[in-house]
Amino acid sequence: VEFKTKMSVTVAVFVSVLLPVVSGQLDRALPAFGHDMRAEFMFAENYTCMNQGSYGSTPRYVIEFAEKVKREQELNPDLFIRAQVLGPSSLSPYYEYVNKARDIVANLIKTKSENVVLVDNASFGINAVLKSVTMFMKKKGLLYLDLAYGMVKTTMKFLTGQGGGADSSPNSPYKFPLHEVNVSHLTANLTDDDILKAVEKVLVEHANEIGLASFSHICSVPGVILPVKKLVALCHQHDVLVHIDGAHVPGQMAVDVEDIGADYYVGDLHKWFYVPRGCAFVYAAPNAQSMIYPNVADAGPGETPFVTSFEWQGTRDVSNFASIIAAAEFREKLGEDKIYAYIHDLAVQGGKLLAKEWGTEVLTDDTKFAALVNVRVPCQAPCMIKDLTLLQALYKETGIILPFGAWGPNKNHTMIRLSAQIYNDISDFQRVADAVKKLIH
């Protein structure tokens, strides 16, 4: 009894140190969107970031919060991490942080907390979906678009025994039929109907084979929005489970996972939601949770078997997950809808500026992208500047790094992807426009 009493006092004092970190501390005004907002980030003075979509960038306030959590862990690692020190129903600060963060993510994507778990990145989450769910499927075939992110394609090929460390011998368990649906060749102005018809054709031709389909919500390159709700409905009509790769969605545009209706949805939080790398979530619909397991088999004190299986993945630093709390506070201060509106409007205006300056066009109309705008460069693929790629040449000229890709029916067009963010303004796009014209001409 004496021991428990002393421990209770210790935990009470320990938690009281944590509470000010968890509660709102952002009690100052924030700058206006645009270059004034750069002061809230940690960029080098000579660096212009127009590639938020690749690796994200984190506000100082959120980084400072993460550092506080790191220090809190070191006060008493045992009490911070170990659950149920005081009894079977007690939770440690580690799990309090994780559960609070899960609540925030659930609210962001319009679902219940019990349907959401946190993982290190979208690659981890997508691998968990694809490698575990396929073991339960009666129909073992897999379907994806040629617009899928490279990691998704690699994982799919792993499941067919075509590489990635998979055993390619005749006895390999990884021999699932794989169907890539080619849509990027159709037209620069890719329509929903184009995509749906192409997918349905394959679903009908292989009706007894395909059991799981994977689609990007926002593709990586080019950064276009796909009609995921329609694709989910189409696949479900053919008795096919659906996973959505939403790596680029949280923080770039609003999302309602239950309205979309996918069985699984994975999204990064370090790309657009301002959380330190790496941090992501996995959503599983209630009726699909029994088929998914994490890459590391372990268990934590979760409220459901799904949450329990993901809650503890071995010892790790929880500060990135905890930082979801600070990122949400930072964004709330700015206004979530205001962020979406600013970055989309800037992407629209920036895309038009580049297309006009270069005499080219934006890849899609502005309803098909959020803050990732794709513009054709007046240089046929592969676009080389002397012995440098256009990416290398642009970086050497300006210090700006941007993804480029081949596009068009014959992959002979060069397309550039730019991210618009709250610390950018239209002058950043003008700088890119001028630099590319100088390099090419």
Side-chain angles (χ1 to χ4, degrees):
V1 173
E2 182 181 357
F3 172 76
K4 285 187 177 180
T5 302
K6 288 182 178 179
M7 287 298 294
S8 296
V9 172
T10 302
V11 173
V13 172
F14 184 63
V15 173
S16 72
V17 176
L18 283 174
L19 288 178
V21 180
V22 177
S23 60
Q25 296 291 298
L26 190 58
D27 55 359
R28 58 181 173 80
L30 293 174
F33 294 151
H35 284 180
D36 288 347
M37 186 59 73
R38 281 178 58 92
E40 293 296 322
F41 292 79
M42 300 183 69
F43 300 128
E45 193 166 334
N46 62 348
Y47 171 61
T48 299
C49 182
M50 300 192 72
N51 190 27
Q52 178 86 16
S54 284
Y55 308 110
S57 52
T58 308
R60 294 176 184 271
Y61 175 73
V62 182
I63 291 175
E64 289 166 0
F65 183 97
E67 290 173 346
K68 289 178 182 178
V69 175
K70 288 178 185 290
R71 289 194 291 271
E72 296 293 346
Q73 295 179 72
E74 299 310 318
L75 292 176
N76 189 327
D78 281 304
L79 281 179
F80 186 92
I81 297 172
R82 190 176 297 276
Q84 302 168 341
V85 169
L86 300 179
S89 61
S90 66
L91 286 179
S92 65
Y94 180 104
Y95 291 107
E96 294 288 356
Y97 274 126
V98 170
N99 290 342
K100 174 63 176 174
R102 285 176 47 236
D103 289 343
I104 291 170
V105 174
N107 183 65
L108 177 73
I109 64 174
K110 305 293 190 296
T111 190
K112 295 179 180 178
S113 298
E114 63 201 44
N115 301 327
V116 176
V117 293
L118 301 179
V119 292
D120 292 337
N121 50 59
S123 298
F124 184 106
I126 291 169
N127 268 262
V129 173
L130 297 180
K131 290 179 180 176
S132 57
V133 173
T134 48
M135 298 302 166
F136 292 87
M137 297 178 344
K138 293 181 180 179
K139 298 187 295 181
K140 297 297 187 180
L142 306 171
L143 179 149
Y144 67 96
L145 302 185
D146 61 339
L147 297 175
Y149 184 57
M151 175 275 301
V152 175
K153 294 180 179 181
T154 300
T155 306
M156 291 284 197
K157 289 178 180 178
F158 173 90
L159 291 170
T160 66
Q162 295 180 28
D167 180 4
S168 58
S169 73
N171 297 323
S172 170
Y174 300 107
K175 290 293 183 182
F176 302 156
L178 188 60
H179 302 279
E180 179 178 282
V181 182
N182 190 341
V183 295
S184 61
H185 74 288
L186 294 174
T187 172
N189 295 311
L190 194 62
T191 68
D192 289 358
D193 283 345
D194 290 334
I195 297 170
L196 291 165
K197 287 177 182 177
V199 170
E200 185 170 29
K201 181 176 183 293
V202 177
L203 288 173
V204 171
E205 290 175 353
H206 303 276
N208 297 321
E209 187 173 90
I210 298 172
L212 175 67
S214 178
F215 305 106
S216 299
H217 194 164
I218 298 178
C219 298
S220 177
V221 178
V224 296
I225 301 171
L226 298 183
V228 289
K229 184 176 179 178
K230 294 177 181 178
L231 286 166
V232 169
L234 173 63
C235 288
H236 282 175
Q237 289 173 12
H238 290 268
D239 193 29
V240 173
L241 296 168
V242 184
H243 155 258
I244 299 297
D245 174 7
H248 281 280
V249 174
Q252 187 179 169
M253 69 179 197
V255 57
D256 185 332
V257 293
E258 295 194 6
D259 181 62
I260 291 170
D263 303 283
Y264 306 98
Y265 191 108
V266 178
D268 273 324
L269 294 162
H270 59 251
K271 287 184 180 291
W272 294 88
F273 199 72
Y274 307 151
V275 176
R277 309 164 204 94
C279 185
F281 69 85
V282 176
Y283 160 84
N287 63 351
Q289 291 177 7
S290 63
M291 294 186 288
I292 179 173
Y293 293 93
N295 300 320
V296 175
D298 212 323
E303 65 269 31
T304 66
F306 169 58
V307 175
T308 295
S309 65
F310 279 86
E311 194 88 327
W312 179 258
Q313 289 288 287
T315 304
R316 61 183 171 188
D317 184 350
V318 77
S319 61
N320 286 0
F321 292 172
S323 297
I324 294 170
I325 300 166
E329 184 187 359
F330 184 85
R331 296 177 68 89
E332 184 178 9
K333 190 88 171 182
L334 295 173
E336 193 74 20
D337 290 339
K338 291 180 180 178
I339 294 172
Y340 295 148
Y342 181 83
I343 61 178
H344 175 65
D345 291 345
L346 180 58
V348 171
Q349 295 307 313
K352 290 179 178 178
L353 182 153
L354 293 172
K356 181 179 179 181
E357 290 279 344
W358 295 339
T360 61
E361 65 281 334
V362 178
L363 188 64
T364 62
D365 67 73
D366 57 20
T367 65
K368 293 296 183 185
F369 64 88
L372 283 172
V373 61
N374 315 276
V375 185
R376 183 169 66 84
V377 178
C379 179
Q380 287 218 337
C383 187
M384 302 296 293
I385 310 299
K386 296 183 179 178
D387 58 345
L388 300 176
T389 65
L390 187 53
L391 182 151
Q392 294 167 333
L394 182 64
Y395 173 69
K396 187 175 181 180
E397 178 74 18
T398 66
I400 297 173
I401 299 175
L402 293 170
F404 292 83
W407 189 255
N410 300 312
K411 299 287 186 181
N412 59 343
H413 293 162
T414 301
M415 180 272 302
I416 184 174
R417 188 197 78 182
L418 305 97
S419 303
Q421 194 44 257
I422 59 173
Y423 48 72
N424 294 122
D425 67 20
I426 197 67
S427 68
D428 297 325
F429 287 83
Q430 185 66 59
R431 189 175 171 208
V432 172
D434 294 342
V436 169
K437 282 198 295 184
K438 177 182 176 182
L439 288 168
I440 291 175
H441 298 300

